[in-house]
């Protein structure tokens, strides 16, 4: 049941196209996912799963998947091989044009699909700051960054105004996937139709303009900002951009695009790419985190020497009793509420280092001395927490499913002890 006021407005907006738009709501929602580039995923994935369909044309690695399939239940999902993401929502990050080594802000980042795309584009170089104002959603964001193996991301939990004080003109690129009235999701979410009202649209407009202003102040001269929503309301889209260009004349509009469910295989979405005049690269706020001395990480260094082939670069910090590796360009963490300050390496227990699940998902089989490879069926049992018999050298193993890291196991006495986190077991 679509709201009558919503339909009346859509008739006015779409004119002759309205019937096609309205009839699109009789079609089932279109499902899609995006394969991670960080995992070095190759054509074998297409051969090993039976649910991938045609490619999403506007997003590298994007695929539609077959109705009735459940890719979220596959071990590849837990290994971060792909992220289940709505097809139209994959468009803003390619428009942002992220390059490896840049400093990028995803200001309204939860649950993390677009942040994962940015992490892919950075290819392990530069720094990504993902922010989410709501603590519980920020936790989900943090978990998704971990699952996707993104080591150069900081997950923060702040109001945009607070970040603007800390990071004036600090970022090369800023994504504002703004909180909106969600009209583009009405086909997928019946509850959204019940909750829709014009007053909420007006409230969203006010909030979006405030967020855009803070985002503009954090973008360096010559930088790029993408504003996006999953709504049809012109007030939240084109009218917001018209307002922004008048209020912030140092910006120019380079591209805007609408995704209509009766025109593309996807839900409703809008994006606008904006460029800030000038040139330059802000540097005053980067590299400020001094961390701790490497020699103070004795247990970690012993673990790294024994089990890792890959040299990890960054600054060590301790956070809540845990050891993290933050990017060299990490700003000072003082005064910031960070749920995930970089790559979680692990913790010291009884004088020995215990690696984290995040580290496992960040690493590849070629990065470690010891790895143990499972079939998809075996991996399903591992995810449930089962131990299994195994032969080999005693110690920590990177447990993999068909070549993709899934977690850690510790072999002793012919038994591989399962270190898959209890909170993730299914």
């Amino acid at each position: 049941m679509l709201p009558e006021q919503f339909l009346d407005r859509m008739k006015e907006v779409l004119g002759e196209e309205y019937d096609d738009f309205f009839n699109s709501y009789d079609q089932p929602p279109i499902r899609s996912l995006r394969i991670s580039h960080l995992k070095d995923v190759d054509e074998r994935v297409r051969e090993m799963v039976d649910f991938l369909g045609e490619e999403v044309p506007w997003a590298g690695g994007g695929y539609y998947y077959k109705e009735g399939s459940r890719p979220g239940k596959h071990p590849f999902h837990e290994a971060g091989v792909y992220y289940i993401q709505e097809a139209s929502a994959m468009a803003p990050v390619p428009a942002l044009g992220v390059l490896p080594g840049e400093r990028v802000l995803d200001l309204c980042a939860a649950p993390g699909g677009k942040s994962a795309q940015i992490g892919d584009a950075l290819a392990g170089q530069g720094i990504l700051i993902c922010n989410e104002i709501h603590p519980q959603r920020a936790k989900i964001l943090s978990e998704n960054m971990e699952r996707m193996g993104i080591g150069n991301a900081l997950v923060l939990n702040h109001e945009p105004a607070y970040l603007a004080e800390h990071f004036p003109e600090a970022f090369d690129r800023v994504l504002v996937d703004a909180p909106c009235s969600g009209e583009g999701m009405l086909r997928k979410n019946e509850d959204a139709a019940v909750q829709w009202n014009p007053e909420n649209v007006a409230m969203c407009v006010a909030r979006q303009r405030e967020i855009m202003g803070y985002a503009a102040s954090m973008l360096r001269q010559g930088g790029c900002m993408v504003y996006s929503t999953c709504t049809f309301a012109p007030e939240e889209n084109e009218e917001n951009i018209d307002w922004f260009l008048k209020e912030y004349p140092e910006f120019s509009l380079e591209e805007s695009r609408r995704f209509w469910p009766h025109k593309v295989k996807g839900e409703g979405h809008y994006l606008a790419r904006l460029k800030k005049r000038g040139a330059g690269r802000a540097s005053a706020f980067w590299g400020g985190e001094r961390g701790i001395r490497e020699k103070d990480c004795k247990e970690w260094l012993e673990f790294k020497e024994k089990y890792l082939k890959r040299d990890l670069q960054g600054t060590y910090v301790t956070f809540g009793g845990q050891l993290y590796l933050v990017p060299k360009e990490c700003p000072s963490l003082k005064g910031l509420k960070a749920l995930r300050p970089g790559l979680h390496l692990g913790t010291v227990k009884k004088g020995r280092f215990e690696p984290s699940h995040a580290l496992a998902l960040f690493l590849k089989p070629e990065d470690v001395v010891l790895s143990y490879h499972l079939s998809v069926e075996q991996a399903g049992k591992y995810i449930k927490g089962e131990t299994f018999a195994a032969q080999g050298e005693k110690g920590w193993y990177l447990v993999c499913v068909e070549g993709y890291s899934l977690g850690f196991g510790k072999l002793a006495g012919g038994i591989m002890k399962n270190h898959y986190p209890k909170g993730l077991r299914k």
Side-chain angles (χ1 to χ4, degrees):
M1 294 292 292
L2 296 172
E4 193 163 332
Q5 285 179 285
F6 166 73
L7 294 177
D8 288 342
R9 190 242 283 147
M10 297 312 297
K11 287 178 184 177
E12 185 177 339
V13 169
L14 288 168
E16 294 179 356
E17 293 184 28
Y18 172 77
D19 287 342
D20 290 338
F21 169 80
F22 182 79
N23 291 335
S24 72
Y25 283 83
D26 291 330
Q27 303 301 315
I30 296 166
R31 310 295 183 182
S32 52
L33 57 80
R34 189 188 58 81
I35 288 177
S36 168
H37 299 306
L38 291 179
K39 301 285 184 174
D40 295 333
V41 176
D42 55 30
E43 283 298 312
R44 291 186 304 120
V45 171
R46 288 188 64 91
E47 297 169 3
M48 287 187 283
V49 300
D50 60 0
F51 46 76
L52 291 185
E54 63 182 287
E55 296 184 35
V56 176
W58 50 81
Y63 289 89
Y64 299 102
Y65 64 83
K66 298 174 184 176
E67 187 176 357
S69 57
R70 303 178 73 186
K73 299 295 184 181
H74 197 286
F76 283 171
H77 179 267
E78 305 312 308
V81 171
Y82 51 75
Y83 190 104
I84 297 173
Q85 186 177 16
E86 199 281 308
S88 298
M90 299 179 192
V93 171
L96 192 61
V98 174
L99 298 174
E102 291 187 321
R103 299 144 177 173
V104 185
L105 171 65
D106 187 354
L107 187 53
C108 313
K114 295 178 178 68
S115 286
Q117 280 182 282
I118 294 170
D120 266 13
L122 287 173
Q125 305 172 49
I127 188 168
L128 166 62
I129 291 185
C130 322
N131 182 69
E132 172 57 42
I133 186 174
H134 300 289
Q136 189 58 37
R137 285 172 57 81
K139 181 181 178 182
I140 295 170
L141 168 64
S142 182
E143 292 170 351
N144 279 324
M145 292 299 95
E146 176 179 295
R147 181 173 64 85
M148 301 308 293
I150 299 171
N152 58 332
L154 277 68
V155 177
L156 304 183
N157 172 218
H158 282 292
E159 294 271 359
Y162 187 87
L163 290 185
E165 293 178 2
H166 277 70
F167 299 108
E169 295 198 329
F171 294 96
D172 300 303
R173 301 182 194 270
V174 175
L175 175 64
V176 180
D177 187 41
C180 66
S181 58
E183 295 173 357
M185 296 291 113
L186 296 184
R187 181 165 63 172
K188 291 183 67 174
N189 186 352
E190 293 183 5
D191 290 340
V194 175
Q195 296 168 5
W196 185 92
N197 60 72
E199 291 76 19
N200 185 44
V201 172
M203 182 182 71
C204 287
V205 169
R207 181 168 50 183
Q208 290 154 356
R209 292 184 178 187
E210 181 181 28
I211 292 171
M212 290 174 72
Y214 291 127
S217 72
M218 289 186 275
L219 185 68
R220 69 163 174 87
Q221 295 182 24
C224 172
M225 181 169 82
V226 166
Y227 171 82
S228 63
T229 73
C230 59
T231 193
F232 301 120
E235 304 98 304
E236 299 180 65
N237 296 328
E238 291 86 356
E239 291 178 24
N240 258 350
I241 296 302
D242 289 343
W243 168 86
F244 180 80
L245 294 173
K246 291 175 182 175
E247 291 291 318
Y248 299 88
E250 68 272 26
F251 280 82
S252 59
L253 177 63
E254 292 193 325
E255 174 193 0
S256 65
R257 187 173 177 186
R258 282 268 198 173
F259 290 79
W260 296 100
H262 63 290
K263 288 187 174 183
V264 301
K265 290 186 66 174
E267 305 303 328
H269 223 80
Y270 171 83
L271 69 85
R273 174 187 165 99
L274 300 149
K275 184 74 177 286
K276 193 173 187 177
R277 278 198 294 274
R281 182 172 171 84
S283 59
F285 309 95
W286 302 104
E289 180 54 51
R290 298 180 65 181
I292 61 175
R293 297 174 299 180
E294 187 176 53
K295 68 179 184 179
D296 293 329
C297 309
K298 179 174 69 73
E299 294 85 0
W300 155 253
L301 295 178
E302 291 172 354
F303 175 89
K304 183 175 73 166
E305 178 67 22
K306 185 173 182 179
Y307 293 112
L308 300 190
K309 296 179 181 178
R310 179 176 177 179
D311 185 28
L312 305 180
Q313 299 294 320
T315 301
Y316 295 109
V317 299
T318 53
F319 189 82
Q322 306 292 316
L323 182 65
Y324 284 79
L325 185 71
V326 302
K328 286 288 188 184
E329 287 196 330
C330 182
S332 173
L333 295 171
K334 185 177 181 180
L336 294 176
K337 289 190 291 185
L339 276 72
R340 185 179 188 268
L343 175 62
H344 183 201
L345 298 175
T347 187
V348 177
K349 291 186 176 180
K350 298 180 181 179
R352 295 183 180 181
F353 189 81
E354 184 168 303
S356 72
H357 188 58
L359 179 61
L361 293 173
F362 174 78
L363 296 170
K364 299 181 176 69
E366 59 268 26
D367 297 332
V368 299
V369 175
L370 302 173
S371 60
Y372 199 93
H373 295 264
L374 304 175
S375 67
V376 169
E377 182 179 357
Q378 292 169 327
K381 296 178 181 179
Y382 169 78
I383 291 170
K384 291 178 181 178
E386 295 183 16
T387 59
F388 52 89
Q391 297 299 317
E393 180 183 339
K394 179 181 177 181
W396 288 99
Y397 282 73
L398 185 67
V399 178
C400 305
V401 52
E402 299 291 354
Y404 303 112
S405 60
L406 191 58
F408 277 117
K410 195 172 186 181
L411 183 60
I415 299 295
M416 185 73 76
K417 184 178 180 182
N418 194 318
H419 280 262
Y420 197 79
K422 292 181 180 179
L424 298 178
R425 293 178 183 179
K426 297 180 178 179

